[in-house]
Each structure stands twice: as structure tokens, then as C-alpha cells.
């Protein structure tokens, strides 16, 4: 069964106005709601960081936006996503898309359950205006409203 973006990111999975001194800390800040809701184990957060250490900042998918994730391995109890806005921005080392001001964390139990959510995610990050709206959100509700594509 596929899950929509709205099903995966709930109000309690949105962190607004986070501050991080490094990209590792930015991922940890964005992943905190996943830990608090027991969607992931601490090991999964470490693995998301290890992926960037190993493969570079390929998770920075658009100007100012990163999608942290790791392969399913049993440390994810339910497919879920979280997000953090970082108004000051964090350098991930991406030549074109730094600084990152919006970090999403994707925790997938398997390789297919999150595909519909990823399609919606791609539609949102395609436009700088949508990204700016998410970064400027004043409440989790406003953030979630910004996740609904204009043509939905």
C-alpha cells in the first residue's frame, strides 16, 4: 500500500526554525520527531549520516533542500517522514544547492511503500516558491498545507 506525503509527515513530525552547526546536526534535528514517535531506532539516524559520509551530498536534491534516508534494514518500525526548517542554512558540501534550509528525513520499511509520497515530494521541491513557502511556515499546520501540490 502506498502512502501519501500527508500521511507520512504529521504535525508532530515538523520542526520549525531549527539551528544546526553542521549537516550532521541538521539531519539529527530533522530526525528527532522520528525517534520521538518510535518510527525509527537511533541506529537509523546514524545510518542516514553514514550514507552522506560515504557517498557525498547527493541527498541535496534541489536548491536548499535535502532528503536524508538510508536503505531499509529493520531499524524502521513504520514508514514515515519528518522535516526541519533551518532558516540560517547549513552547508552540506553540494556545489550548486547549498546552503540547505529544509531537511526531510525519509524512513521506509521497504523499497516501495513510500513511492507515492516521493512523487509528491518531487513536485513540491521543483519550484523555489514552494520551497520558500515551506521554509517560511509559521506553524506545522502551515508547513503541511504547503506540502499539498497546487494541482491536487
Amino acid at each position: 500500500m502506498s502512502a501519501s506525503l500527508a500521511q507520512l509527515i504529521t504535525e508532530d513530525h515538523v520542526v520549525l526554525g531549527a539551528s544546526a552547526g553542521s549537516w550532521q546536526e541538521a539531519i539529527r534535528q530533522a530526525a528527532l520527531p522520528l525517534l520521538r514517535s518510535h518510527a525509527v531506532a537511533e541506529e537509523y539516524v546514524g545510518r542516514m549520516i553514514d550514507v552522506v559520509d560515504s557517498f557525498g551530498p547527493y541527498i541535496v536534491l534541489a536548491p536548499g533542500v535535502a532528503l536524508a534516508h538510508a536503505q531499509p534494514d529493520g531499524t524502521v518500525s513504520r514508514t514515515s517522514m519528518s522535516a526541519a526548517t533551518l532558516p540560517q542554512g547549513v552547508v552540506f558540501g553540494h556545489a550548486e544547492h547549498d546552503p540547505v534550509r529544509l531537511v526531510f528525513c525519509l524512513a521506509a520499511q521497504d523499497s516501495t511503500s513510500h513511492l507515492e509520497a516521493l512523487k509528491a515530494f518531487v513536485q513540491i521541491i521543483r519550484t523555489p516558491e514552494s520551497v520558500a513557502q515551506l521554509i517560511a511556515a509559521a506553524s506545522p499546520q502551515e508547513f503541511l498545507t504547503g506540502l499539498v501540490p497546487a494541482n491536487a
Side-chain angles (χ1 to χ4, degrees):
M1 181 171 141
S2 64
S4 74
L5 205 52
Q7 291 171 314
L8 295 181
I9 302 178
T10 55
E11 284 184 24
D12 61 330
H13 281 192
V14 177
V15 178
L16 299 177
S19 178
S22 67
W23 63 264
Q24 296 94 332
E25 190 178 334
I27 291 174
R28 289 188 190 286
Q29 291 271 344
L32 195 54
L34 297 175
L35 287 167
R36 287 185 179 148
S37 69
H38 306 288
V40 302
E42 181 67 44
E43 293 83 7
Y44 186 78
V45 179
R47 288 186 47 253
M48 288 191 291
I49 291 169
D50 290 345
V51 165
V52 179
D53 276 334
S54 297
F55 301 108
Y58 80 96
I59 68 166
V60 182
L61 301 176
V65 182
L67 177 62
H69 59 283
Q71 289 187 335
D73 72 344
T75 58
V76 175
S77 64
R78 74 179 180 283
T79 299
S80 188
M81 284 181 81
S82 61
T85 63
L86 299 129
Q88 302 306 311
V90 173
V91 172
F92 271 69
H94 194 283
E96 297 175 38
H97 299 323
D98 276 342
V100 170
R101 291 187 171 88
L102 183 56
V103 177
F104 288 88
C105 290
L106 170 63
Q109 277 188 299
D110 57 59
S111 60
T112 60
S113 62
H114 60 291
L115 294 180
E116 288 302 313
L118 285 181
K119 289 178 191 174
F121 172 80
V122 168
Q123 291 302 310
I124 291 159
I125 67 167
R126 288 176 61 190
T127 64
E129 298 80 17
S130 296
V131 172
Q133 178 184 355
L134 292 172
I135 294 167
S139 69
Q141 299 86 353
E142 187 179 331
F143 185 93
L144 294 176
T145 299
L147 291 178
V148 179
N151 58 358

